Amino acid sequence: MTRIFDAATWGAELCVAGDDVLAGELSLREESLRRKVAFYLDADGLPMCQSSCAPAEWYPTLVTRMTSAVISHGRAVVSIDAALPLHSSILDVAFPGAGSDRSMVDITVVDLSRHRRTLHAEIPSHLVVTGTIALALSPVGSARRTAPQEHETAIG
């Protein structure tokens, strides 16, 4: 199955090479194995260490390692070795190096802070704990609380 990565979603140009995902010439799986810590991809597909990024910086792709994965009855719970930005949602997910036999399921991603985010996406039939996972993130604006509008009517 060929996977298409929309740059509007992922931020960087990504493509499939075998069962790996590439950002330009950079193998996400190999870079994840080399770094052993989470990293973002900038718009050019270059890795940026998550721990060296300021909280105000935003990158739409996070690559990290899984620490556990449980798949059962059309649902998956995947724990990751990174903290997701607090005000973010997950638009898409990829599993570089995990093979091509996939199915659609509800995937709940649990980060280091125990925050959970769920999406409906493709998951490989065989995941390896400590395998690589890439997440397409989207910022979520803070909810605004507004007071009810009072309408005055002029009687004249």
Side-chain angles (χ1 to χ4, degrees), residues 14-36:
L14 302 179
C15 67
V16 174
D19 62 352
D20 199 358
V21 178
L22 302 178
E25 297 294 317
L26 178 74
S27 161
L28 297 187
R29 183 174 177 275
E30 288 178 17
E31 188 68 14
S32 177
L33 290 171
R34 186 181 74 76
R35 288 179 174 262
K36 305 223 188 287

Side-chain angles (χ1 to χ4, degrees), residues 36-145:
K36 305 223 188 287
V37 295
F39 62 93
Y40 292 111
L41 292 178
D42 69 9
D44 295 324
L46 298 174
M48 307 290 293
C49 184
Q50 184 185 33
S51 61
S52 66
C53 293
E57 289 181 276
W58 179 260
Y59 297 98
T61 301
L62 175 67
V63 181
T64 190
R65 313 282 292 164
M66 294 177 284
T67 57
S68 71
V70 177
I71 304 170
S72 179
H73 304 291
R75 299 191 60 82
V77 177
V78 176
S79 297
I80 61 170
D81 193 22
L84 293 170
L86 188 57
H87 298 291
S88 67
S89 63
I90 301 173
L91 299 176
D92 200 1
V93 63
F95 299 89
S100 60
D101 186 23
R102 302 174 182 274
S103 59
M104 295 293 289
V105 300
D106 288 331
I107 303 170
T108 299
V109 177
V110 183
D111 74 357
L112 284 176
S113 300
R114 308 306 298 159
H115 293 117
R116 298 170 163 263
R117 290 166 181 84
T118 302
L119 73 154
H120 191 74
E122 288 182 336
I123 194 165
S125 59
H126 296 82
L127 285 181
V128 176
V129 174
T130 73
T132 303
I133 185 171
L135 304 165
L137 304 175
S138 176
V140 175
S142 59
R144 293 184 186 180
R145 295 181 69 99

